[in-house]
Amino acid sequence: MALTHKTLTEFSDILASDSPAPGGGSTAALSGALGASLALMVASLTIGKEKYAEHETLMQAVHASVEKLRQNLLGLIDRDTEAFDAVSAVFKMPKSSDEEKSKRSAAMQEALKACTLTPFEMIDCSYQALVQIENMCGKYNTNAASDLGVAALSLKTATQGAWLNMLINLDSIKDEQFKNEYRKKGEELSKKAIALADKIYCEIETDLGG
């Protein structure tokens, strides 16, 4: 059964168990999906309101864009756990001969790369969602200001969690070109996303009198 089809209680129970997956990666993806969902809620509460009619086209476009990102993040909840399961499966591969050891080592490296790419996608989706939230600032239904702030915080959590998952996998990858490329990409994109999330949060906090 897909993780996304489980109840909140079931998902929480699995996380609380001694099973190593799902873990931080899938939880980061869930945080991102929830952040995107909140952004969609705020857009929906703005669309169709006469007070915000001049921003109708923008909000419709934001809604369409963020919905795609939400679906991607939901998919990454399961994909991250599947990537980890692939790493676990490698440990069951035979290693009696040099040939078997070589195949096992190659399979592990490919599995670790997959475990790096999924959290990188989480960071990318989270950053794109934050860009859309920034586009909403000053144009959305202010009754939902706190909700938009939580959306930014959730996407920041997704970004930071995904970056940690990239780092722990990059450490074991032997392909230096791949390692250097994704360390640089991940660090640069996560910094941009975190800075943007903080900017959005501070603006909303100030608007609310904080």
Side-chain angles (χ1 to χ4, degrees):
M1 183 178 184
L3 291 171
T4 50
H5 292 166
K6 294 187 180 299
T7 66
L8 289 173
T9 299
E10 289 171 339
F11 187 82
S12 179
D13 286 344
I14 297 172
L15 284 178
S17 74
D18 61 0
S19 173
S26 290
T27 303
L30 175 58
S31 296
L34 293 175
S37 297
L38 279 170
L40 286 168
M41 183 190 82
V42 176
S44 295
L45 289 171
T46 306
I47 293 169
K49 300 294 190 296
E50 184 178 350
K51 182 178 178 180
Y52 305 100
E54 63 181 301
H55 306 305
E56 183 81 9
T57 300
L58 170 65
M59 288 298 163
Q60 292 281 6
V62 166
H63 194 285
S65 179
V66 176
E67 173 58 19
K68 290 179 181 178
L69 296 169
R70 183 179 76 92
Q71 292 299 328
N72 288 344
L73 286 160
L74 285 171
L76 284 163
I77 295 173
D78 280 302
R79 284 177 53 202
D80 186 83
T81 293
E82 289 164 3
F84 180 86
D85 289 342
V87 170
S88 299
V90 174
F91 287 107
K92 299 177 182 178
M93 293 177 65
K95 53 178 180 177
S96 300
S97 66
D98 288 342
E99 183 180 359
E100 287 177 343
K101 289 178 182 178
S102 179
K103 287 182 178 179
R104 190 173 185 267
S105 178
M108 177 60 76
Q109 288 300 305
E110 287 305 307
L112 288 170
K113 286 181 179 180
C115 280
T116 301
L117 293 174
T118 47
F120 178 73
E121 285 188 54
M122 293 175 208
I123 296 173
D124 186 44
C125 287
S126 297
Y127 175 68
Q128 290 184 56
L130 285 163
V131 169
Q132 293 301 319
I133 290 176
E134 184 181 36
N135 290 337
M136 296 170 66
C137 287
K139 301 160 188 168
Y140 65 91
N141 188 332
T142 53
N143 291 325
S146 59
D147 301 296
L148 199 61
V150 176
L153 289 173
S154 298
L155 289 159
K156 179 182 177 181
T157 295
T159 298
Q160 291 179 302
W163 174 231
L164 291 180
N165 275 269
M166 284 189 71
L167 287 174
I168 199 169
N169 289 298
L170 283 168
D171 188 54
S172 299
I173 292 175
K174 297 176 182 178
D175 183 338
E176 291 298 324
Q177 181 177 347
F178 180 94
K179 180 187 291 190
N180 293 335
E181 178 185 354
Y182 279 93
R183 182 182 292 276
K184 182 179 179 181
K185 285 182 176 180
E187 183 175 16
E188 289 179 350
L189 193 56
S190 61
K191 283 183 177 179
K192 286 172 64 177
I194 291 166
L196 185 53
D198 287 342
K199 176 176 178 286
I200 293 166
Y201 176 83
C202 288
E203 286 181 5
I204 292 173
E205 184 182 39
T206 299
D207 289 344
L208 292 175

